[in-house]
Amino acid sequence: MRMHAWGGAMIVAGLLAACSPSSAPATAPAQPVDTTEQKAPVADPSVPVASGNTPAAADVAAVAALNAQFDPARDPVADLATAKVEAQRGGKRIVLDVGGEWCSWCHLMDAFIEGDAEIRSFRDANFVWMKVNYSEDNENAAFLSQFPTIKGYPHLFVLDADGKLLHSQFTGELEADKGQAKGYNRTRFFAFMKDWAPAKAS
């Protein structure tokens, strides 16, 4: 009787051993932490982007900021460097929009462009639009001294993708005719943009 009980215990022990895992899984050795300096990707102006936007969100934001407002704190030299990279990448030209937050005609131009989908789309496809502040706070005299004299504000300078001046546009010539609502003449304004768009648009 004792032998039978002892044999049964041995069978149970054997079964339990057979069901348990043969060995614990081996743990991988710890990997060292990468402490090397990580540099942000640099935009490559030689790679065209069909949409006209740069691939990196930071680049898109930087380009959008060029035309956000007339800001006396912005550095037009650095802004132009950004504009040139984007213009070269997208096969565009650069428009320097010189004015200030004090300038009612500057705000009228912004509203005119933003309110006309066709003109806005044409601008975005063919130009990098960059505001340059001119105000009592900052006249940006050193930067603007490289361009022709400005008669009134806003004033537009058209540059090629390398920043070379192509045209100086007095915007009084683009205003609506007397007797019409204060603003810009769509036909003349659009003709100006088409005349100075890069060759791909003509």
Side-chain angles (χ1 to χ4, degrees):
M1 187 73 173
R2 288 181 183 175
M3 288 293 290
H4 186 268
W6 182 82
M10 291 297 293
I11 291 171
V12 169
L15 288 172
L16 287 173
C19 292
S20 65
S22 58
S23 62
T27 56
Q31 298 296 319
V33 176
D34 182 4
T35 58
T36 58
E37 182 183 354
Q38 301 296 313
K39 295 185 178 179
V42 177
D44 181 359
S46 67
V47 179
V49 179
S51 68
N53 289 327
T54 56
D59 290 339
V60 174
V63 171
L66 297 177
N67 187 33
Q69 63 181 354
F70 295 102
D71 183 353
R74 291 191 72 87
D75 177 4
V77 174
D79 283 350
L80 183 55
T82 300
K84 287 194 286 189
V85 170
E86 175 65 6
Q88 291 164 11
R89 176 185 292 107
K92 301 179 182 182
R93 286 187 171 162
I94 300 164
V95 171
L96 303 183
D97 179 359
V98 186
E101 291 301 308
W102 54 267
C103 167
S104 62
W105 280 96
C106 299
H107 293 295
L108 281 171
M109 182 183 290
D110 286 343
F112 168 74
I113 295 172
E114 292 305 317
D116 190 312
E118 186 180 10
I119 288 180
R120 187 177 66 250
S121 296
F122 190 86
R123 176 200 66 186
D124 294 344
N126 295 286
F127 299 99
V128 178
W129 206 272
M130 174 185 147
K131 283 185 164 69
V132 179
N133 182 78
Y134 178 88
S135 67
E136 290 180 358
D137 295 330
N138 186 354
E139 293 184 354
N140 281 307
F143 178 79
L144 292 172
S145 67
Q146 63 189 303
F147 300 104
T149 303
I150 293 173
K151 293 194 286 185
Y153 300 91
H155 190 91
L156 305 177
F157 292 114
V158 182
L159 315 180
D160 68 11
D162 295 319
K164 177 185 173 186
L165 178 66
L166 300 175
H167 179 67
S168 176
Q169 179 64 52
F170 172 56
T171 57
E173 297 171 351
L174 307 178
E175 292 174 8
D177 296 323
K178 288 182 179 179
Q180 296 180 333
K182 185 177 178 181
Y184 291 89
N185 179 288
R186 187 182 192 276
T187 302
R188 287 197 291 269
F189 198 97
F190 210 172
F192 153 73
M193 294 180 77
K194 288 177 178 177
D195 285 346
W196 292 103
K200 65 177 184 178
S202 53

